[in-house]
Amino acid sequence: MPDVLALAGGVGGAKLAFGLASLLPPDRLTVVVNTGDDDAFHGLHVSPDIDTVVYTLAGKANRETGWGRQQDTFAALDALSELGAETWFRLGDRDLALHIRRTQLLREGHTLSEVTRDVCQRFGVEHAIVPMSDNAIRTVVETDQGVMSFQEYFVLHHSEPRVRRLVFKGIERATPSPWFEMAWQRADALVICPSNPFLSVDPILSIPGARNALASINGVRIAVSPIIGGKAVRGPAAKLFEQLGGGPADCVGVARRYAGLCTHLVIDRVDQALAPQIAALGIKPVVENTLMQTDDDRIELARAVLAVCETG
Ligand code: FO1
């Protein structure tokens, strides 16, 4: 059984992480999560991608949105709105409890890695879900409508502004979290979940030393394309290919971004005709159903990914 290091962003990443966690024992999987989307709301530290992965693995995620907790209520947010606070970022009551607790523990001097580990234990998640770094790294989006935080771009402005550049503020001085570094030293397979290559995966790869260390993992290094039939399952990944000069939004564009890092790329059956172009980039295409609508879909895709990890 391979020792897997998986890279994940929010909803798409969490779905494959769920599949991997269903098949691998806890000591064989580390999920390293993007924290570039982290932000402060109402004085609280919110880590949306970590929470999405934790809630999903804990069986607590809102299945309609993919983020936030199932059956949450919004009484606190309504009360905040009454008091004049901005409430475009929808934090449910139960979700808020996590941000209050996280903020309190961070203020007491604990690292984000330690807080995340504690939360996982309390939610009964045995697999390691770790932040990419314990340093503050913030994705700043430079657009035709001004410079904004990632959540302002994504939630407040619905990813509508045209993106000119992404800046991962704080990345130059950031170090990988201790569990990320341990995982890349130990892993014999790398799995890049179907997360946004620009907004979710690139921050992780941009931590000094990370991309080279991951490229040195001696084994299969496999990504799953988040682009199916030229469209992103969710979010702005497709338009970012066009806006940030990555060529057309298709799985070949995804392969180009991971060339030199990945040995394999899983593409959807609808993209089968593009397989030769991926092979021409030196990446082995693997054709599967990649749309994860049910828990069974998540597990089946994870099974296919792990089969490649074992056989190469
Ligand atoms: N996404 C939205 O589209 N609208 C929201 O109001 C929103 C609130 C929210 C609260 C907590 C949380 O953990 C995630 C939340 N998200 C929301 C999702 C979040 O913006 C994205 O998942 C990412 O950061 C991109 O991966």
Side-chain angles (χ1 to χ4, degrees):
M1 204 170 276
D3 191 330
V4 174
L5 192 179
L7 307 184
V11 179
K15 288 180 179 174
L16 187 62
F18 174 92
L20 293 169
S22 304
L23 298 171
L24 290 168
D27 64 347
R28 294 265 135 182
L29 174 66
T30 302
V31 185
V32 175
V33 185
N34 169 43
T35 53
D37 300 4
D38 288 20
D39 212 332
F41 293 97
H42 318 293
L44 302 173
H45 182 117
V46 182
S47 295
D49 285 356
I50 290 182
D51 296 348
T52 299
V53 177
V54 172
Y55 288 152
T56 302
L57 265 60
K60 292 181 188 296
N62 178 327
R63 291 199 71 105
E64 272 161 47
T65 56
W67 51 265
R69 279 186 70 158
Q70 63 194 7
Q71 287 165 355
D72 215 342
T73 49
F74 291 84
L77 213 66
D78 290 345
L80 279 162
S81 177
E82 257 173 27
L83 292 167
E86 281 189 38
T87 53
W88 49 265
F89 196 71
R90 307 298 296 161
L91 294 166
D93 296 324
R94 284 177 181 75
D95 194 25
L96 269 169
L98 170 53
H99 312 314
I100 292 169
R101 180 73 182 142
R102 172 189 293 125
T103 306
Q104 181 188 12
L105 291 170
L106 289 173
R107 281 195 190 135
E108 284 171 11
H110 296 280
T111 63
L112 186 59
S113 292
E114 290 165 351
V115 177
T116 307
R117 195 181 165 93
D118 183 67
V119 172
C120 281
Q121 274 167 1
R122 287 174 195 279
F123 284 169
V125 175
E126 290 182 87
H127 294 82
I129 299 171
V130 308
M132 61 185 193
S133 174
D134 286 328
N135 304 119
I137 301 168
R138 295 292 172 266
T139 299
V140 176
V141 189
E142 296 181 4
T143 77
D144 60 352
Q145 294 176 35
V147 179
M148 53 190 82
S149 71
F150 170 78
Q151 298 299 346
E152 284 171 331
Y153 163 74
F154 187 71
V155 177
L156 183 61
H157 296 289
H158 311 288
S159 312
E160 280 160 7
R162 200 177 165 80
V163 178
R164 295 196 173 132
R165 199 163 79 106
L166 296 171
V167 177
F168 307 131
K169 214 171 128 218
I171 201 93
E172 301 84 6
R173 277 163 285 109
T175 55
S177 65
W179 283 295
F180 182 14
E181 205 168 343
M182 257 189 311
W184 83 40
Q185 285 161 5
R186 207 192 50 203
D188 45 35
L190 170 71
V191 175
I192 302 184
C193 293
S195 297
N196 187 312
F198 301 92
L199 288 163
S200 302
V201 180
D202 210 28
I204 307 178
L205 299 179
S206 300
I207 293 174
R211 193 177 170 116
N212 281 347
L214 295 173
S216 310
I217 289 176
N218 197 7
V220 165
R221 300 184 300 275
I222 184 167
V224 177
S225 173
I227 304 285
I228 303 180
K231 293 197 179 84
V233 177
R234 182 179 180 273
K239 62 172 127 179
L240 289 182
F241 271 97
E242 184 242 317
Q243 294 175 3
L244 293 174
D250 58 24
C251 55
V252 183
V254 177
R256 254 184 232 113
R257 291 199 66 83
Y258 295 145
L261 172 62
C262 289
T263 53
H264 295 72
L265 179 69
V266 183
I267 62 172
D268 195 82
R269 290 193 193 284
V270 301
D271 291 318
Q272 187 151 21
L274 298 173
Q277 291 183 54
I278 290 166
L281 292 166
I283 295 180
K284 289 185 192 153
V286 178
V287 183
E288 291 291 337
N289 287 324
T290 61
L291 194 62
M292 293 177 278
Q293 284 166 325
T294 65
D295 284 355
D296 283 348
D297 293 342
R298 301 170 181 188
I299 295 167
E300 278 321 302
L301 183 56
R303 203 186 299 285
V305 165
L306 292 177
V308 177
C309 291
E310 285 190 0
T311 56

